[in-house]
Amino acid sequence: MSAVGWTPSEREQERVRVRRSIRRRSVLLASTATVVVLGLLVVGLVASPGWDRFRETFLSWPDAKESFPDIARGFWLNVKMFLVAEPLILLLGGAVAIVRSTVSPLLTPLRLLAVLYTDFFRGVPTILVVFLFAFGIPALQLQGVPTDLAVLGTAALVLSYGAYVAEVIRAGIESVHPSQVASAEALGLSRGQAMRFVVLPQGVRRVVPPLMNDFVSLQKDTALVGAVGVFESLFAAQDYGNFNFNYTPYLVTAAFFVALTIPLARFTDWMGRRMMEKERGSR
Amino acid sequence: MSALLEVSGVRKCYGEKVVLDDVSLTVEPHDVICLIGSSGSGKSTLLRCLNLLEDIDDGVIRFEGEEISDPRIDARDVRKRIGMVFQAYNLFPHLTVLENCTLAPRQVHGVRRADAEARAQELLARFGLADQAAKHPDKLSGGQQQRAALVRALCTHPTLLLLDEITAALDPELVGEVLEIVRAEAEAGMTMVLATHEMAFAREVATKVCFLDQGRILEQGLPSEIFSNPREERTRQFLRRVL
């Protein structure tokens, strides 16, 4: 019964050869198609009428070098805002989602508040929320409330993204079949325990890909805080460009963001795949 | 008459584990082949290999005179001619029963909507599902769902029907209504290969019974031979447990 005492038949060996050649052919086809498409894109770009002018203003190596340190410093601020905002968003979004999924009559006002919160913050453009926070909160002259624009901007991002994430997590919670709650309750678990040990783990796992999607998006939207004059990378690039009449720093900034989001996107893909394999088995 | 399906020396492994070992089987037109054996003996895997849901690791499968285990063969072209019904029904929950039944005829076989629906309605009516056509599968009972799944498989006029333990997930009282259809199809001359635990049914309908054990067809023959006078000790043990 073991795999040891078996030699593939003549037919099987030929089949393996054929499979290999089919695979070789598809790899070749994929490579050719990729090269052709990329080549056409490059030709199309270089052959455009304004290409020389474009190269001067967007692809100037000295300007890229000169603006690099400022942009890098600014980008570090983007990363910090992102790292601070992300866990807060998860907490806020999770809390709002759980509140919206409760059924207790006592919690009705809280549920109402949660609905208002998500409706409002999903409806208002994120950049507007940033403006409101950065200019509105200092104007209130409240005691003990920070006036640092980066902090206020990050708070705006947290509230705005918290609303999206809350809805994503709620979708996950609602996707868990009611029979799961029933069987948890049949074991004597309370509603809260059922949520914590049975529903939430399954629900959140299902929405990890869209959650990661939101976080990739958040990474980029930290640049919105630059609109109120915080020296993050995009604002640094704008500052340089306005002073030197050269837009190369924009591309430098773009490169920074891409360098950060691509690994996160691959990580997301990998995690999604791994989870699917774990839950579905090999078939 | 040449065989409809010819399986010879088929081997299938998952990693180190050998699931099918030197399996050979001939299916003539209008045959009803019952695969019996305990769970994990390879019945389902064999069926999945037959319509190319699984690649085999050795051996040859010929269908309608053509070797379908050749990697150059278009699997979809083969599956167009083979119907399959699964243990868990696998109806599409987002489509109505009628849409489930007309999906493949319309999208794969290019049948006009009206014709596909007429064919589906006729089969649904014959199998007692005329009033369920507009419903979604989850609204139906298990037996009704499995009958709908059978109709879905029959709508494309397959020359061979593969049934993978189609009554295993059903309540005992619902088994009968599904087997009734299979029996009717068998009498109408449909060629079938089915994995089943329903021994009485196999004895009654099968033209040939194959006993699988640890990935091998240990014994095959007429149902009267296998059930009354099995040659192998393992077959005898198995039959004692299930009968």
Side-chain angles (χ1 to χ4, degrees):
Chain A
M1 279 306 290
S2 72
V4 186
W6 167 69
T7 36
S9 68
E10 203 50 46
R11 181 77 192 93
E12 176 60 21
Q13 284 171 17
E14 197 207 321
R15 214 147 42 199
V16 168
R17 275 194 297 275
V18 172
R19 280 200 196 109
R20 207 175 295 141
S21 91
I22 289 176
R23 206 171 314 130
R24 238 191 335 258
R25 205 173 325 147
S26 48
V27 168
L28 191 71
L29 198 65
S31 322
T32 318
T34 312
V35 168
V36 167
V37 169
L38 286 183
L40 284 175
L41 281 175
V42 168
V43 167
L45 189 66
V46 174
S48 58
W51 171 245
D52 285 332
R53 184 105 183 93
F54 178 85
R55 210 171 47 179
E56 256 168 55
T57 45
F58 279 89
L59 300 172
S60 144
W61 183 242
D63 285 300
K65 266 206 300 208
E66 211 185 314
S67 62
F68 188 88
D70 278 341
I71 292 177
R73 218 168 302 128
F75 191 69
W76 174 232
L77 183 59
N78 288 98
V79 172
K80 276 194 290 189
M81 287 194 285
F82 168 69
L83 289 179
V84 170
E86 181 172 314
L88 293 177
I89 288 169
L90 263 184
L91 283 177
L92 177 66
V96 171
I98 291 172
V99 164
R100 283 196 72 170
S101 313
T102 53
V103 286
S104 155
L106 213 62
L107 293 176
T108 307
L110 219 56
R111 264 200 302 279
L112 207 67
L113 210 65
V115 174
L116 283 176
Y117 162 71
T118 44
D119 281 0
F120 180 77
F121 279 96
R122 281 199 309 164
V124 177
T126 308
I127 191 157
L128 213 154
V129 180
V130 172
F131 278 134
L132 283 178
F133 267 63
F135 302 139
I137 289 184
L140 290 174
Q141 299 187 339
L142 294 168
Q143 282 281 308
V145 172
T147 51
D148 181 65
L149 289 180
V151 172
L152 289 172
T154 309
L157 287 179
V158 168
L159 282 176
S160 186
Y161 268 82
Y164 288 105
V165 167
E167 285 303 277
V168 170
I169 296 182
R170 191 165 71 97
I173 288 174
E174 283 178 0
S175 78
V176 177
H177 200 268
S179 64
Q180 289 288 309
V181 179
S183 63
E185 285 181 339
L187 287 168
L189 271 69
S190 71
R191 277 249 162 209
Q193 286 172 318
M195 176 62 83
R196 169 152 180 238
F197 294 109
V198 178
V199 177
L200 213 51
Q202 296 184 50
V204 168
R205 201 169 304 167
R206 264 176 228 173
V207 293
V208 162
L211 278 180
M212 297 303 273
N213 199 24
D214 276 345
F215 286 139
V216 171
S217 169
L218 169 70
Q219 243 173 35
K220 302 180 300 177
D221 275 357
T222 51
L224 291 177
V225 179
V228 291
V230 173
F231 251 91
E232 50 73 56
S233 57
L234 181 58
F235 190 67
Q238 205 175 358
D239 190 55
Y240 181 97
N242 290 346
F243 196 74
N244 296 290
F245 301 111
N246 189 286
Y247 301 126
T248 311
Y250 283 138
L251 286 186
V252 176
T253 311
F256 266 105
F257 277 106
V258 167
L260 196 64
T261 47
I262 286 184
L264 190 59
R266 288 295 83 77
F267 175 71
T268 311
D269 292 349
W270 173 80
M271 202 147 79
R273 221 175 18 248
R274 202 190 57 154
M275 242 155 39
M276 207 151 78
E277 279 164 12
K278 218 161 77 183
E279 292 211 342
R280 291 211 183 135
S282 56
R283 284 191 195 178
Chain B
M1 197 182 279
S2 76
L4 180 69
L5 181 75
E6 246 184 298
V7 180
S8 58
V10 163
R11 177 187 179 84
K12 172 77 190 167
C13 317
Y14 292 118
E16 283 289 285
K17 194 168 179 294
V18 182
V19 211
L20 290 178
D21 187 12
D22 198 16
V23 168
S24 299
L25 176 68
T26 307
V27 183
E28 304 287 346
H30 313 304
D31 263 355
V32 177
I33 313 273
C34 283
L35 309 175
I36 60 170
S38 36
S39 308
S41 58
K43 305 186 296 285
S44 290
T45 311
L46 177 55
L47 290 177
R48 295 171 67 90
C49 288
L50 294 185
N51 74 346
L52 309 183
L53 286 175
E54 306 273 356
D55 276 332
I56 56 174
D57 292 313
D58 205 342
V60 171
I61 304 174
R62 304 179 71 82
F63 177 61
E64 294 183 327
E66 166 191 42
E67 185 191 335
I68 57 170
S69 48
D70 190 307
R72 280 165 296 203
I73 211 93
D74 180 5
R76 290 184 53 211
D77 189 54
V78 174
R79 294 185 192 131
K80 271 187 204 174
R81 293 172 279 154
I82 301 183
M84 183 154 190
V85 183
F86 300 86
Q87 176 177 342
Y89 328 139
N90 298 9
L91 291 165
F92 305 122
H94 63 298
L95 300 177
T96 65
V97 169
L98 187 65
E99 285 164 345
N100 262 283
C101 295
T102 53
L103 180 70
R106 291 179 60 197
Q107 301 300 327
V108 182
H109 297 261
V111 177
R112 287 201 352 261
R113 183 192 179 123
D115 297 341
E117 285 184 350
R119 159 96 177 146
Q121 289 284 18
E122 180 219 318
L123 280 169
L124 286 170
R126 198 194 309 163
F127 297 155
L129 292 168
D131 45 349
Q132 314 293 336
K135 292 186 188 167
H136 281 82
D138 286 342
K139 297 263 187 294
L140 273 55
S141 75
Q144 289 172 327
Q145 286 189 49
Q146 194 60 296
R147 278 186 280 157
L150 268 161
V151 171
R152 183 175 69 173
L154 290 171
C155 272
T156 56
H157 299 278
T159 42
L160 174 67
L161 194 58
L162 307 175
L163 309 177
D164 188 3
E165 299 195 17
I166 57 167
T167 57
L170 294 177
D171 291 341
E173 54 180 332
L174 300 177
V175 168
E177 62 184 62
V178 172
L179 291 185
E180 202 48 54
I181 294 177
V182 181
R183 189 177 291 124
E185 279 304 311
E187 274 162 16
M190 173 63 78
T191 315
M192 290 187 264
V193 180
L194 49 129
T196 185
H197 286 301
E198 299 292 329
M199 295 304 148
F201 179 75
R203 187 200 291 250
E204 178 200 340
V205 189
T207 54
K208 182 154 71 176
V209 174
C210 300
F211 174 65
L212 273 84
D213 184 58
Q214 299 185 348
R216 294 174 148 272
I217 295 188
L218 212 55
E219 190 169 354
Q220 52 179 302
L222 294 170
S224 53
E225 292 167 16
I226 301 278
F227 285 111
S228 325
N229 192 16
R231 188 162 37 84
E232 299 284 334
E233 176 55 31
R234 300 211 48 121
T235 318
R236 230 167 285 150
Q237 280 173 1
F238 171 77
L239 288 175
R240 253 203 307 279
R241 261 182 294 131
V242 297
L243 283 183

